[in-house]
Amino acid sequence: MTDSRYLKRTVVKHEIHSHFLNETRKLRIYLPPGYNELLSYPVVYCQDGEEFFNFGRIATYANQLILDEDIEPFIIVGVEVNVKVRTQEYAPFGSRHEAYVSCFTEEIIPYVEKNYPVRRTAEDRILAGDSLGGSVSLHIALKHKDMFSKIITLSGAFYIPSQEIIAAETDLSSLSLYMVVGLQERDYQTDTGIYDFVDLNRRTKELLEKRGAKVVYYEKDGKHLWGFWQQELPGALRHFLK
């Protein structure tokens, strides 16, 4: 990953004011090599946007995939979050969850689509997130099946409330998920308790598949850390963008 072609990244920073959250929200937007405003691009929306860029190295991997593997050029939108209220926004039981989902779908998506030539179909919008970011990505898609159909979850934090929401669904055949979890995540401490992430992901996979969702699922050696997720990002992107 030291090739200079991969390291020449175009990342533009934006701030938008959210009426629903009553605050500003920062965005990082990656533009692919050869970016042309006259073209249209698939788009990957990342929760924990700052971490996807800094720790996941997603812009560098995107360059590599586009330049060397003939992947169609795509745009990445990283939505940053205040870690102090992250659980409240990302977890379905959080006090800011509904406001965040509204901000994402009614403010962030329109802002990006107004300013960049991203495609506007469910098939060309990919949601991505790690841990609770994977959970909120799925919940956004469940609430807006007309807008989203593809989801990347890296060690998704699918707690019981999330599983209950999925279980209440009857037809999830429009959804496609790429799920990966680390086998060393069986006893992980979070701000809401200790969880077996392998069991949470296995159960969630079963719930999704029983309702018709298409799931690509992996359990691999790895911990609940970006050192693991970073390695899994290229495969996840490749799966949906090849």
Side-chain angles (χ1 to χ4, degrees):
M1 296 295 288
T2 58
D3 190 318
S4 61
R5 296 177 305 138
Y6 306 153
L7 302 177
K8 292 179 180 178
R9 298 155 302 200
T10 301
V11 179
V12 185
K13 295 184 178 182
H14 292 255
E15 281 192 12
I16 69 169
H17 179 77
S18 169
H19 166 76
F20 293 101
L21 295 172
N22 193 31
E23 65 183 29
T24 59
R25 186 55 49 113
K26 295 180 180 179
L27 308 177
R28 298 187 184 203
I29 300 180
Y30 158 87
L31 304 177
Y35 172 72
N36 186 333
E37 292 183 351
L38 298 179
L39 303 178
S40 66
Y41 297 91
V43 56
V44 180
Y45 290 96
C46 301
Q47 315 299 331
D48 292 302
E50 183 175 8
E51 293 195 352
F52 264 84
F53 278 91
N54 290 345
F55 304 140
R57 302 184 69 192
I58 192 170
T60 303
Y61 282 123
N63 276 0
Q64 182 184 28
L65 292 170
I66 293 166
L67 293 172
D68 289 354
E69 298 191 27
D70 202 30
I71 297 292
E72 180 180 16
F74 58 98
I75 286 173
I76 302 166
V77 178
V79 183
E80 297 189 13
V81 65
N82 180 347
V83 294
K84 294 180 180 179
V85 296
R86 180 175 180 271
T87 297
Q88 297 307 313
E89 291 185 359
Y90 285 3
F93 50 79
S95 61
R96 292 165 61 96
H97 179 72
E98 293 299 330
Y100 177 71
V101 172
S102 295
C103 166
F104 189 89
T105 56
E106 298 181 43
E107 295 174 328
I108 292 173
I109 298 290
Y111 178 85
V112 172
E113 293 183 347
K114 177 181 178 181
N115 290 282
Y116 293 94
V118 295
R119 296 176 192 162
R120 305 184 180 194
T121 67
E123 292 72 25
D124 289 305
R125 296 187 187 110
I126 301 168
L127 297 173
D130 63 286
S131 195
L132 271 176
S135 171
V136 75
S137 294
L138 176 56
H139 287 299
I140 290 170
L142 290 175
K143 292 174 182 288
H144 297 276
K145 298 185 185 71
D146 59 324
M147 294 179 67
F148 308 101
S149 66
K150 297 176 178 177
I151 306 151
I152 294 169
T153 79
L154 308 171
S155 304
F158 299 113
Y159 305 146
I160 296 301
S162 291
Q163 293 181 24
E164 291 174 346
I165 290 169
I166 297 166
E169 297 281 346
T170 56
D171 180 10
L172 297 179
S173 57
S174 64
L175 297 186
S176 296
L177 292 94
Y178 185 100
M179 302 176 66
V180 62
V181 65
L183 290 170
Q184 285 73 53
E185 298 185 56
R186 291 186 174 276
D187 190 28
Y188 186 74
Q189 176 76 55
T190 76
D191 60 345
T192 59
I194 298 174
Y195 298 94
D196 181 340
F197 273 73
V198 177
D199 183 64
L200 291 178
N201 278 265
R202 285 179 182 173
R203 291 178 181 271
T204 300
K205 170 184 178 289
E206 293 175 2
L207 288 168
L208 290 164
E209 289 182 330
K210 286 180 180 179
R211 287 152 185 79
K214 296 173 282 295
V215 182
V216 172
Y217 178 85
Y218 296 103
E219 295 177 4
K220 301 183 179 182
D221 284 329
K223 298 180 181 180
H224 200 80
L225 298 168
W226 270 107
F228 170 52
W229 301 327
Q230 182 194 111
Q231 298 174 32
E232 299 304 314
L233 259 181
L237 295 169
R238 195 180 288 117
H239 174 72
F240 282 128
L241 293 160
K242 63 186 176 183

